[in-house]
Amino acid sequence: MGTLLVVLVLALFLAAILTGGYNKDFLERVRHSKVWDWLTTVDHKKIGIMYFMSGFFFLLIGGLEAVFMRLQLIVPNNDLFTGDTFNKLLTMHGTTMIFLAAMPMIFGIINVVMPLQIGARDVAFPFLNSLGFWAFFFGGLLLNLSWIFGGAPNAGWTSYPSLALMGFNPGPGIDYYVLGLQISGIGSLMSGINFLATIINMRTPGMTFLRMPMFTWTSFVTSALLLFAMPPLTVGLLLLMFDRVFGSAFFDPALGGSPVIWQHLFWIFGHPEVYIVILPAFGIMSEVISTFSKKRLFGYTSMVFATVVIGFLGFMVWVHHMFTVGLGPMSNSIFAVATMAIGVPTGIKVFNWLFTMWGGELHFKTPMLWAVGFIPTFVMGGVTGVMLAVPPADFQYHDSYFVVAHFHYVLVGGTVFALFAGAYYWWPKMFGKLLDDRLGKWHFWLFFIGYHLTFFPQHFLGLFGMPRRVFTYQAGYGLESLNMLSSIGAVGMVLGTIIFTINVIKTARSKELAPADPWDGRTLEWSVPSPVPEYNFAQLPLVRGYDAFWIEKQAGNKGMAPAEPLGPIHMPSPSYIPVIMSLGLFIAGYGFVAHAIPVAVIGIAVVFISMFVRSFQQDFGYHIEPEEIVGSAKAKEVKA
Amino acid sequence: MASHIHPNDRPKQPGHLETATFEGKNKVLGFWLFLGAETVLFACLFGTYLALRNANMGGPTTQQLYDLKLVGLATFFLLTSSLTSVLAMNAMNRLKQGAMQFWLGVTVLLGLAFLILEIYEFVHYVHEGHTFTSSAFGSSFYALVGTHGAHVTFGLAWIMTLMIQTARRGLTYEMAPKLFVSSLYWHFIDVVWVFIFTLVYLLGKVG
Ligand code: HEM
Ligand SMILES: [Cu+2]
């Protein structure tokens, strides 16, 4: 309660300082300030930038936690971060990276790029988009406040009961985990619905499903996974909250409950989740490889098919995380076969990327370096995945560093590499400027080498018997040198990330603007100016085939043919309600964490009252007139 | 894209008003997607209940507890309210605002009757010693049936809100999709109840 007040007062102070103190025209000034503009925006590009940048911020925090863990493990019997502290670092690292770094950065790129790729002026539900972002943001904030107020969660990112139940874990840590993820999960579900509706309903004339760029396709399938995978997590977290806060008995064996139910719910969400973060990565890589090989993506239809099959199979394999629970040979065998089957569509993709490059005119710009580094790295992760999918072998690998190596090969070598590739590739569309290519190459090589140095030895650590989630090891068991190597490798990744940060700052300061089409791109986002005007397309483009913009360029046309006459463009109005609603969720979450039910009720009331206000509000947006559009386009030409 | 229609206009022609505007089309599609997520949510609660329903820890069993007469009556109320909700949407698409408001009113009353019976049932169970914290069976029962009850409550508040808005603004292009998705929601709640009736109550009496 007290802490809540402190946070509120601090927020008010900050608002006052940033806007120059309270007086008569305080509200006017707030309304015209940049901060207010970003708080209330419903523009998909701005929301995308906020998603990406806050995701990157959490990536830095999660990275710091990882560095602390590698410092502890650098020598045997170290006592830098031991016991509970190490458990907290490990839990927060995993949770932050998956939910607060990987997912939001992906949502950021989808938000900026996908509407442009299908020739849309915005997403289907701009208000919901903003709400989704703020829910994620406040959820992440709540989770991370645990470090300051009461202690971080310490039961792993999977938070299995009974360890996570009140009896074994009385501090507020797990409550922060439960409510932080619940709130940010609400945001993810909204984004999924929004992206799906956008892709189904908002495609420009001629943009049929089988002409959609690969990144849009993977966003589509990822959104479908979000739609069906988030609810099991919602239910799991809800039940865990009931057990902890209200004394129910879902997971408590003493009252007939079963901890295995949590494992099922968690992994029915958890396995699709790994595809939620890897499919858009596949999409980014497909775009990058095709653009920098100057070739049409090889086997486009089989790529689409493989993506859909992976999405479908992703729901059939969750038990491979539970082979050692003892569900019996029958269920283990079925899930083992299903798991191995996923290797087939994934293999199709890898060969398609290789054949796209085969005979192409290769340009090794920074995004392409990441893509080329990604292919062998991800394949290694896939191979260890298939090894883990064999139940008798998994009895040996399970809960060892071998598993840690596997999932870092797919998550970092897949998702994080793709996020960096996407950042370099689409930075001009996000910010109107190009990131520095030379610094980018330094970033790539330091990170790539450091990455392999860190995680390759972990396969062997696992095979030599080192269990995961343990804060130290003994000397004399052959684990010293590999752990040392692994910790040294982390330095490479840290340096790479620092260079990236410098690159971002340097680019933000530079005055040099990027051209609309710096990479000789193939898809619609390159047909509009960088940075993109708020209405995206002055006239919706008419699409004549796959690689829509490339087709026009090959035909000698200057740009896309318009699909509609120039006319007034309808724009949605900004709204402050999403922030208020998410604040309500935050307060409610805090109430449950503090086991202060009245506070929780106040928070929930704020949410429902905001919904009610929104329902009664009649705000139909505004129009941008053709004169304004032509005027700003002319002004651009004069400058250029 | 029907941008010449203002959301505050009133449709002149009967038909599928909910998808007459672009915003309406998006809303209806988005809501169907949302119902997909809700289906998974309830599926998880059903799974949990079915796994834990025999863990009564010496408390009353499903056979002793459930009273099909009371539940049958509640079922009757809720299923009928689905019918009246259809009649309301029919009236809406024929531009009959008065009839629509009437049928929505009946829907709300039937939903309220269902809710009262459910609350009565819960109070009764608590007196029998079947509570949220008494056993895993109790927890999973109240989680499933209670979540459904919370949906009914929210649906009632929603429909009443829309009735007020319609009374003020009339049957506009903006109101039609809002009313339509609220009725989709109401049918969804009904379908979930059909599953609760079979998998919780009937199965509880039999097996
Ligand atoms: C061919 C594809 C893949 C196969 C066959 C596969 C198989 C497996 C198996 C069997 C496990 C359980 C190991 C154990 O706990 O004993 C596992 C763990 C894991 N996998 Fe994969 N996997 C594949 C791809 C991926 C991808 C693409 C990602 C993420 C982008 C991923 C992320 C993870 C994570 C995070 C874990 C560890 C979860 C934990 O216990 O904390 N996997 N994988
Ligand atoms: Cu998995």
Side-chain angles (χ1 to χ4, degrees), chain A residues 299-315:
Chain A
Y300 167 74
T301 16
S302 70
M303 272 314 222
V304 171
F305 181 71
T307 309
V308 175
V309 171
I310 291 177
F312 182 73
L313 284 179
F315 280 100

Side-chain angles (χ1 to χ4, degrees), chain A residues 157-158 267 271 274-275 277-278 320-321 323 339 342-343 346 378 382 385-386 388-389 394 397-399 403 406-407 410-411 415 468-469:
Chain A
W157 84 283
T158 52
W267 288 117
H271 190 84
V274 307
Y275 286 99
V277 294
I278 200 68
H320 67 215
H321 297 274
F323 281 152
T339 303
I342 294 199
T346 314
F378 183 79
V386 177
L388 289 165
D394 184 62
Y397 306 137
H398 183 65
D399 267 350
V403 177
H406 157 68
F407 65 71
V410 277
L411 280 169
T415 305
R468 66 188 281 208
R469 293 178 173 165

Side-chain angles (χ1 to χ4, degrees), chain A residues 231-278:
Chain A
L233 179 70
T234 307
V235 171
L237 292 171
L238 191 71
L239 302 188
L240 189 54
M241 180 181 94
F242 282 149
D243 270 14
R244 290 182 57 87
V245 183
F246 298 100
S248 61
F250 295 99
F251 308 127
D252 181 3
L255 284 171
S258 157
V260 178
I261 290 178
W262 165 269
Q263 296 193 21
H264 280 296
L265 290 174
F266 187 87
W267 288 117
I268 292 176
F269 149 78
H271 190 84
E273 166 70 11
V274 307
Y275 286 99
I276 287 169
V277 294
I278 200 68

Side-chain angles (χ1 to χ4, degrees), chain A residues 483-520:
Chain A
N483 268 307
M484 174 70 84
L485 269 185
S486 185
S487 293
I488 293 173
V491 177
M493 286 193 278
V494 170
L495 290 179
T497 312
I498 290 176
I499 291 183
F500 178 66
T501 315
I502 293 175
N503 203 346
V504 168
I505 295 170
K506 185 176 162 238
T507 309
R509 284 203 181 152
S510 104
K511 299 218 161 47
E512 207 177 322
L513 292 180
D517 182 17
W519 315 114
D520 197 8

Side-chain angles (χ1 to χ4, degrees), chain A residues 286-576:
Chain A
S286 304
E287 304 285 326
V288 168
I289 290 176
S290 169
T291 300
F292 292 97
S293 305
K294 291 257 175 304
K295 260 179 77 184
R296 187 192 152 107
L297 187 66
F298 186 91
Y300 167 74
T301 16
S302 70
M303 272 314 222
V304 171
F305 181 71
T307 309
V308 175
V309 171
I310 291 177
F312 182 73
L313 284 179
F315 280 100
M316 314 281 174
V317 299
W318 79 90
V319 168
H320 67 215
H321 297 274
M322 302 165 64
F323 281 152
T324 57
V325 168
L327 299 176
M330 193 46 133
S331 99
N332 278 5
S333 313
I334 292 172
F335 280 93
V337 173
T339 303
M340 290 177 220
I342 294 199
V344 178
T346 314
I348 292 180
K349 283 182 171 270
V350 172
F351 283 110
N352 281 336
W353 290 319
L354 294 178
F355 288 139
T356 305
M357 288 166 63
W358 183 272
E361 184 193 321
L362 302 184
H363 293 261
F364 286 99
K365 295 280 190 211
T366 310
M368 185 63 166
L369 279 184
W370 287 106
V372 172
F374 151 89
I375 296 175
T377 313
F378 183 79
V379 167
M380 288 170 69
V383 168
T384 51
V386 177
M387 290 170 72
L388 289 165
V390 183
D394 184 62
F395 275 60
Q396 298 300 317
Y397 306 137
H398 183 65
D399 267 350
S400 79
Y401 259 82
F402 191 82
V403 177
V404 178
H406 157 68
F407 65 71
H408 283 94
Y409 262 78
V410 277
L411 280 169
V412 182
T415 305
V416 176
F417 280 20
L419 285 169
F420 283 136
Y424 284 97
Y425 187 57
W426 281 306
W427 209 259
K429 286 298 138 189
M430 290 167 87
F431 297 98
K433 293 174 189 172
L434 275 165
L435 285 170
D436 186 279
D437 200 53
R438 208 168 51 89
L439 283 178
K441 284 185 172 146
W442 276 99
H443 173 199
F444 169 76
W445 283 111
L446 281 168
F447 197 93
F448 183 77
I449 295 171
Y451 162 79
H452 279 281
L453 199 57
T454 303
F455 293 107
F456 192 69
Q458 294 187 359
H459 293 106
F460 299 96
L461 284 173
L463 296 178
F464 296 165
M466 180 159 162
R468 66 188 281 208
R469 293 178 173 165
V470 168
F471 68 82
T472 196
Y473 51 94
Q474 300 298 314
Y477 290 89
L479 304 176
E480 294 99 322
S481 48
L482 289 177
N483 268 307
M484 174 70 84
L485 269 185
S486 185
S487 293
I488 293 173
V491 177
M493 286 193 278
V494 170
L495 290 179
T497 312
I498 290 176
I499 291 183
F500 178 66
T501 315
I502 293 175
N503 203 346
V504 168
I505 295 170
K506 185 176 162 238
T507 309
R509 284 203 181 152
S510 104
K511 299 218 161 47
E512 207 177 322
L513 292 180
D517 182 17
W519 315 114
D520 197 8
R522 313 171 74 83
T523 40
L524 286 182
E525 73 268 31
W526 307 110
S527 72
V528 289
S530 318
V532 184
E534 56 176 334
Y535 46 81
N536 294 357
F537 298 91
Q539 290 164 288
L540 290 183
L542 180 68
V543 169
R544 297 187 228 243
Y546 178 67
D547 278 345
F549 188 39
W550 185 255
I551 290 182
E552 303 297 332
K553 285 197 277 190
Q554 291 307 80
N557 299 331
K558 261 207 186 135
M560 302 300 298
E564 58 171 13
L566 203 58
I569 294 174
H570 177 253
M571 303 293 293
S573 315
S575 172
Y576 57 87

Side-chain angles (χ1 to χ4, degrees), chain A residues 125 193 196-197 201-202 227-228 231-232 235 242 246-250 254-257 261 265 608 612 615-616 618 620, chain B residues 6-8 22 25-26 29-30 33 37 40-41 44 52 55 57 132-134 136 139-140 143 154 161 165 169 174 178:
Chain A
F125 309 110
I193 293 177
L196 280 173
N201 267 0
M202 312 272 288
L227 183 68
F228 295 118
V235 171
F242 282 149
F246 298 100
S248 61
F250 295 99
L255 284 171
I261 290 178
L265 290 174
F608 279 108
F612 200 70
S615 179
F616 273 88
Q618 284 210 299
F620 302 124
Chain B
H6 191 273
N8 269 341
F22 193 59
K25 282 196 188 99
N26 278 345
L29 173 68
L33 294 171
V40 181
L41 184 117
C44 294
L52 297 176
M57 305 316 278
F132 189 52
T133 54
S134 61
S139 303
S140 62
F154 182 79
T161 308
Q165 286 181 5
R169 299 177 195 167
E174 189 207 4
K178 283 178 144 186

